[in-house]
Amino acid sequence: GKLPFDQKHIFGMHQRDNDHIFSPIPLEAYSKIENDDTMFLMLGGSIKYEKQAFDLGIKNALFCPSTSDVDAIHKFLNTLTVYAHGRSDGEQCSSAIIEALSHSLPVITHTAPSMGQAEQVGLAGACVETVEQYAAMMKMMMEDQEKYDEFSKEAKRRYDEYYSMNAIIDKYAKLFVWLFDPYGQFLLQNPNLYKSMIAPSQWVKDLYVNKFGMDESKVVVWPVGIELK
């Protein structure tokens, strides 16, 4: 299901309530393209977003309290037409972006000190540098249906290929297979030849260290996606 709004173009995102990750870019960009047929929805997030919307004179914006209810989050995402992401310090591997991709939502985001969001979005949207570029992408999503559809299809493709349950199972399988081939054995015996080894979870890191004798300082946890209902 969806939330009952009449507007055709609904931008938005969900985020935990934390002033330190607040980004002024999405709402400032939205204020430049707002019309009677647009809406910005925010699920959770810092109170600074609501204050910013008031200061910018934004008319069509709704701020919903944070929730852990999976059905409510899905209904929220089903309502959006574009996931308008923003975070001041950037992302490592954002579960929120993964959820947006699973709903075939094009994603607009921006540069930040950490740039994991750019890798996650890929060609399913854009990672821009300025408010003006962000607003231009919003406008393009509204006016170019063919391009919008391309972004939407790419979002679902990226989710299926990189973050779906089948993709994660395949990644885990490959993680263990390589350990037993000649190259994997060579790396295990020569830790000086690599800077770090990436594990998709703490459980895998513990296995690398305790079962295969890897140097704990060289194993880095990089979270992978989750399967959604």
Side-chain angles (χ1 to χ4, degrees), residues 5 59 62-63 67 71 90 110 134 157 179 212 218 224:
F5 293 106
K59 297 178 181 178
L62 181 65
F63 299 90
T67 180
D71 290 336
H110 59 79
Y134 203 115
R157 187 199 70 79
L179 289 168
F212 296 102
K218 286 210 163 195
V224 294

Side-chain angles (χ1 to χ4, degrees), residues 11-13 25-26 29 82-86 97 105-110 117 121 124-128 130 133-141 151:
F11 302 89
M13 68 168 173
I25 293 177
V82 176
Y83 195 83
H85 175 266
I97 289 178
L105 288 173
V107 181
I108 306 174
T109 185
H110 59 79
Q117 67 277 13
V121 173
C127 181
V128 301
T130 67
Q133 291 171 345
Y134 203 115
M137 281 300 301
M138 284 178 152
K139 191 171 181 61
M140 187 271 287
M141 296 281 191
F151 286 137

Side-chain angles (χ1 to χ4, degrees), residues 196-209:
S196 61
M197 192 70 66
I198 295 176
S201 69
Q202 186 62 44
W203 179 80
V204 174
K205 176 178 178 177
D206 291 342
L207 192 65
Y208 280 173
V209 173

Side-chain angles (χ1 to χ4, degrees), residues 116-207:
Q117 67 277 13
E119 175 66 23
Q120 286 187 277
V121 173
L123 298 177
C127 181
V128 301
E129 295 183 355
T130 67
V131 170
E132 289 71 23
Q133 291 171 345
Y134 203 115
M137 281 300 301
M138 284 178 152
K139 191 171 181 61
M140 187 271 287
M141 296 281 191
M142 294 164 58
E143 297 177 348
D144 190 335
Q145 186 63 46
E146 183 176 350
K147 195 66 178 174
Y148 175 89
D149 290 342
E150 288 179 11
F151 286 137
S152 179
K153 289 178 182 177
E154 175 63 9
K156 189 61 167 63
R157 187 199 70 79
R158 288 186 69 79
Y159 173 75
D160 289 340
E161 183 172 343
Y162 299 114
Y163 303 111
S164 68
M165 182 61 73
N166 286 338
I168 300 309
I169 290 173
D170 184 59
K171 286 186 176 76
Y172 269 84
K174 289 177 179 177
L175 277 170
F176 298 117
V177 169
W178 76 268
L179 289 168
F180 299 99
D181 66 27
Y183 181 65
Q185 290 296 307
F186 175 76
L187 287 179
L188 287 174
Q189 295 166 16
N190 297 274
N192 59 301
L193 297 180
Y194 60 89
K195 183 177 180 180
S196 61
M197 192 70 66
I198 295 176
S201 69
Q202 186 62 44
W203 179 80
V204 174
K205 176 178 178 177
D206 291 342
L207 192 65

